[in-house]
Amino acid sequence: MKIIATGLLVLMAVIYFTAKSYEEVHPALGFVRAFAEAAMVGGLADWFAVTALFRHPMGLPIPHTAIIPRNKDRIGDTLANFLKNNFLVSKIVAQRMHGIDMAGGVGRFLKSPSGGQGRLRMGASRLIGDIIGSLDQDRLGSMFKGAVKTQAKELDLATPMGQILESVMAENRHGPLIDSTIKWAYRTLDANEYVIRAIVHDRANTVMRWTGLDDRLANEVVDGLYKLLADMASDPDHPVRAKTEESMVQLAQELKNDPELRQRVNEWKLEMIENPAIASWIDGMWETGREALLKASRDPEAAMAGHFGDALMQLGSSLQQDPLLNRQLNRFARRAVAGVVASYGDNIVKLVSETIRGWDAQTITDRVENAVGRDLQYIRVNGTLVGGLVGVMLHLLGYWI
């Protein structure tokens, strides 16, 4: 475009001098000369104006030229403020997000992960992997474990435990549970029979020990326990089993409604959370999850295979077909983006401003000129042609006057 605009200016100069030389031959050449003369003036004026935006014309330090290089810091600040006031506003972002179906897009991507999006998925996976790998492992792990503990402390265990137990009893699925308990009690009795015998022996008096009644009594106790467990295992209507079922129904109600039992369950939960074994389990869960994320992000094709891939595709279908889930995810995304803008908008603006300030004058000149330079050269072309038309009109006006 520079060549075209400059070539047009040179052409007007050639036409001007040619028409000037032969103007006496025919009066009509006066109009040609006037057109070319005014076109040169218009073209030179617009060349000066366009050049003055980016540099000093012909290298001369003319005032109010090289406007962009001299004002790059002010341009950066103005652009940053423009972004802040017109784009990085939570209300504006939230309104814009209302028209974006992010959940639907995620659903389509998960449902058809290989639909021409391989490069996108690979790039996103590498980016996620780099982000996870670059984060402070200890600090991030502490944040994860702290979040898990916080959620666990706020979790109401008693109510769901009561509901599960009540559902088990209502659907008559507690039989296997009682059978398993009886088997566990049988194995425990068998492994600790000597403990019962020792207790009977220690509490027997001298006469019972001398006569051997303590051993007979211990045998009776042990045999009675074995017989009780055997009867309970073989008889579904055994009175002890019935009493156990009544206790389970009562326990389900108390878990949901008894403040004292609920408080004890909560205390037990807090003790479990602070237990070193639980802390070690959370540590292991974090490390395993982190390694899995890194492995999946570095091999997205493998991550999308097997049961995990099937689950992601099922999630994609749910996001597309479940209006409630879709609406909830979009609401979360909208709030998250608006929150990021509210929290980090000033930092984004500062980044834009400082980045432009860090550019040298030649860099910003080249980037702006490459962005809009083609249209600026059209201005030179239009200035040349419009100037020529004005010259013809003025020449014609001279005849009338």
Side-chain angles (χ1 to χ4, degrees), residues 68-378:
I68 291 177
R70 286 192 303 105
N71 295 277
K72 71 179 185 67
D73 293 346
R74 185 160 60 90
I75 292 172
D77 294 339
T78 302
L79 178 59
N81 289 326
F82 177 78
L83 290 173
K84 178 180 179 181
N85 297 328
N86 294 277
F87 295 95
L88 299 180
V89 179
S90 299
K91 183 178 180 180
I92 295 176
V93 171
Q95 290 175 347
R96 177 58 179 163
M97 290 290 291
H98 269 292
I100 299 178
D101 182 15
M102 184 173 291
V106 172
R108 288 189 293 272
F109 178 78
L110 292 177
K111 189 174 181 181
S112 304
S114 59
Q117 298 165 323
R119 292 181 63 189
L120 174 62
R121 189 169 67 257
M122 288 294 295
S125 298
R126 285 196 298 269
L127 176 61
I128 293 172
D130 292 341
I131 292 174
I132 296 173
S134 66
L135 293 175
D136 187 331
Q137 182 175 347
D138 294 334
R139 184 176 180 184
L140 191 61
S142 298
M143 291 172 59
F144 170 80
K145 288 177 281 188
V148 170
K149 286 187 175 181
T150 300
Q151 293 298 319
K153 288 178 180 178
E154 296 177 355
L155 181 65
D156 173 23
L157 282 181
T159 300
M161 287 173 62
Q163 292 172 341
I164 291 172
L165 184 55
E166 187 177 52
S167 174
V168 168
M169 298 298 296
E171 298 176 8
N172 200 28
R173 291 186 294 170
H174 59 285
L177 176 62
I178 295 178
D179 291 339
S180 298
T181 304
I182 293 172
K183 291 178 182 178
W184 170 83
Y186 190 93
R187 291 192 299 269
T188 303
L189 177 60
D190 185 57
N192 296 279
E193 183 178 320
Y194 71 93
V195 176
I196 298 175
R197 296 183 181 278
I199 293 174
V200 173
H201 178 77
D202 291 341
R203 296 193 177 188
N205 55 35
T206 304
V207 176
M208 293 183 67
R209 294 175 186 170
W210 182 71
T211 58
L213 290 175
D214 60 331
D215 290 336
R216 292 179 60 186
L217 180 60
N219 288 334
E220 292 293 334
V221 171
V222 172
D223 291 344
L225 290 173
Y226 277 127
K227 185 177 184 303
L228 174 64
L229 292 174
D231 291 343
M232 290 176 61
S234 60
D235 184 6
D237 299 322
H238 194 279
V240 177
R241 290 181 69 117
K243 188 64 177 177
T244 302
E245 292 176 359
E246 292 178 7
S247 300
M248 293 174 69
V249 172
Q250 182 180 357
L251 177 60
Q253 293 299 319
E254 290 178 350
L255 283 170
K256 294 193 298 180
N257 303 311
D258 185 358
E260 184 176 349
L261 180 58
R262 292 171 62 86
Q263 179 63 28
R264 288 203 301 270
V265 171
N266 187 60
E267 292 173 356
W268 168 79
K269 177 194 68 177
L270 295 177
E271 291 176 2
M272 290 290 293
I273 292 173
E274 299 302 330
N275 189 289
I278 297 297
S280 177
W281 174 73
I282 295 176
D283 287 340
M285 183 173 64
W286 158 246
E287 292 298 333
T288 302
R290 182 176 181 275
E291 290 298 325
L293 284 173
L294 284 172
K295 184 178 180 180
S297 64
R298 288 165 181 165
D299 189 5
E301 294 295 341
M304 292 301 295
H307 296 297
F308 181 64
D310 293 340
L312 288 179
M313 291 182 185
Q314 181 62 40
L315 175 60
S317 298
S318 298
L319 288 174
Q320 291 183 285
Q321 299 172 5
D322 188 337
L324 178 59
L325 181 60
N326 183 287
R327 188 164 56 252
Q328 289 176 338
L329 183 58
N330 281 332
R331 185 186 303 118
F332 169 79
R334 185 166 60 251
R335 291 176 177 175
V337 174
V340 168
V341 169
S343 300
Y344 302 104
D346 290 339
N347 291 335
I348 296 173
V349 168
K350 186 177 180 181
L351 174 64
V352 173
S353 178
E354 291 182 352
T355 299
I356 295 179
R357 283 177 175 270
W359 290 344
D360 58 73
Q362 188 61 43
T363 298
I364 192 171
T365 298
D366 292 342
R367 294 191 177 186
V368 175
E369 190 171 15
N370 287 335
V372 299
R374 190 174 182 86
D375 290 328
L376 293 177
Q377 300 308 316
Y378 273 117

